[in-house]
Amino acid sequence: NVSLTGGSLTLSGELHVAAKSTGTLTLLGGGTIHSDLGNVAFEPGVTGVLTIEDGVWTNTRAIFVGVHGNGTLNVGGNGTIQS
């Protein structure tokens, strides 16, 4: 489980939340994430939650939520997704 508050995370590839087991990612306090592709609970049998309360997640390609697993994407408050 990861929480990013007010910082910045830049990935040259994909962002996976709950790739092989249960996991969460929470973005708060104006934090930013930049990635090429996003997956939340992509694999069978996993549960993943991505919550953006106050921050921006920018993807250059696509976002997949719960493709084979149980995925949840929550965007509230001042949360933004750009894809």
Side-chain angles (χ1 to χ4, degrees):
N1 298 335
V2 176
S3 183
L4 179 65
T5 303
S8 179
L9 175 64
T10 300
L11 304 168
S12 60
E14 301 177 5
L15 171 67
H16 291 267
V17 177
K20 300 292 180 182
S21 64
T22 298
T24 64
L25 174 60
T26 304
L27 189 56
L28 302 163
T32 60
I33 297 175
H34 303 279
S35 61
D36 180 49
L37 185 87
N39 290 303
V40 180
F42 190 78
E43 297 294 329
V46 301
T47 298
V49 179
L50 174 59
T51 301
I52 305 170
E53 284 297 327
D54 179 15
V56 178
W57 182 20
T58 303
N59 273 292
T60 55
R61 296 192 317 177
I63 298 171
F64 298 98
V65 179
V67 172
H68 300 289
N70 181 19
T72 302
L73 177 60
N74 300 310
V75 181
N78 294 317
T80 303
I81 294 177
Q82 300 170 344
S83 184

